C-alpha cells in the first residue's frame, strides 16, 4: 500500500513510544489495529458493491438483448402467421367458389337431363368402390 520499509516503521514506533508513552501505547496500537481492520473491511465492501453493480449492469444488458430478440421473433412469427391466415383465407374462398360453381351448373336444365345409363354407371362404380374397400375390413 504505502512504500514503508522496516527501518521507517522502527522510527515511527520509537517516536510513538516517546510521544504517547509506554502506558498508553498498547491501547493506541490496539485502537489503530481496529481502525485499520474497519478500513480494510470497508474497502472490501466497496469493491464487492462495485463488482455487484457491474454484474447487475451486465445482466441488465443481457436482459434487454434477450427481450429485443424475443420481440423480433414475435414480430416475425406474427408476420408469418398473418401470411398463413391470408393464404388460408384465399384457399377457403377458392374452395367455396369451386363448390358454388358446380351447384350452379347442376341447376341448369342440361345438367339435369343426363341419360339414365350414365347415372346407373356412376352408382355401380360407387358401390364397387365401397365393397372393395370394405372387403379388407374384418367382420
Amino acid at each position: 500500500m504505502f512504500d514503508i520499509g522496516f527501518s521507517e516503521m522502527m522510527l515511527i514506533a520509537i517516536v510513538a513510544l516517546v510521544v504517547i508513552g509506554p502506558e498508553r501505547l498498547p491501547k493506541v496500537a490496539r485502537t489503530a489495529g481496529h481502525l485499520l481492520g474497519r478500513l480494510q473491511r470497508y474497502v472490501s465492501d466497496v469493491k464487492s458493491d462495485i463488482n455487484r453493480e457491474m454484474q447487475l449492469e451486465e445482466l441488465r444488458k443481457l436482459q434487454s438483448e434477450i427481450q429485443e430478440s424475443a420481440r423480433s421473433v414475435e414480430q416475425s412469427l406474427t408476420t408469418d402467421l398473418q401470411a398463413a391466415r391470408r393464404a388460408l383465407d384465399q384457399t377457403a374462398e377458392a374452395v367455396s367458389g369451386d363448390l358454388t360453381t358446380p351447384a350452379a351448373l347442376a341447376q341448369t336444365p342440361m345438367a339435369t337431363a343426363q341419360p339414365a345409363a350414365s347415372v346407373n354407371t356412376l352408382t355401380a362404380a360407387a358401390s364397387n368402390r365401397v365393397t372393395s374397400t370394405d372387403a379388407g375390413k374384418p367382420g
Side-chain angles (χ1 to χ4, degrees):
M1 194 158 102
F2 300 110
D3 195 19
I4 298 176
F6 183 73
S7 61
E8 294 165 344
M9 296 227 352
M10 288 302 290
L11 180 63
I12 292 171
I14 291 172
V15 169
L17 182 61
V18 171
V19 172
I20 296 173
E23 297 89 28
R24 294 189 315 177
L25 186 61
K27 188 176 181 180
V28 170
R30 196 175 313 120
T31 305
H34 286 295
L35 290 175
L36 283 175
R38 284 184 188 171
L39 179 65
Q40 286 177 347
R41 283 191 297 274
Y42 178 73
V43 168
S44 68
D45 287 344
V46 169
K47 283 182 181 180
S48 66
D49 286 345
I50 290 171
N51 286 335
R52 202 172 306 125
E53 286 295 323
M54 288 172 41
Q55 290 174 350
L56 185 62
E57 185 62 32
E58 289 174 7
L59 288 175
R60 285 181 183 151
K61 283 182 183 179
L62 181 63
Q63 180 185 14
S64 66
E65 289 173 5
I66 289 173
Q67 286 176 345
E68 184 62 34
S69 66
R71 279 190 212 109
S72 67
V73 167
E74 181 183 15
Q75 288 175 351
S76 68
L77 286 176
T78 303
T79 305
D80 292 345
L81 183 63
Q82 289 173 350
R85 281 185 182 166
R86 276 190 240 115
L88 187 61
D89 289 342
Q90 289 174 352
T91 304
E93 288 175 8
V95 167
S96 66
D98 289 345
L99 290 177
T100 57
T101 304
L105 290 176
Q107 292 176 355
T108 61
M110 286 184 128
T112 56
Q114 291 181 346
S118 65
V119 171
N120 290 336
T121 307
L122 289 175
T123 307
S127 65
N128 286 340
R129 198 173 314 146
V130 169
T131 56
S132 66
T133 56
D134 289 341
K137 294 181 183 175

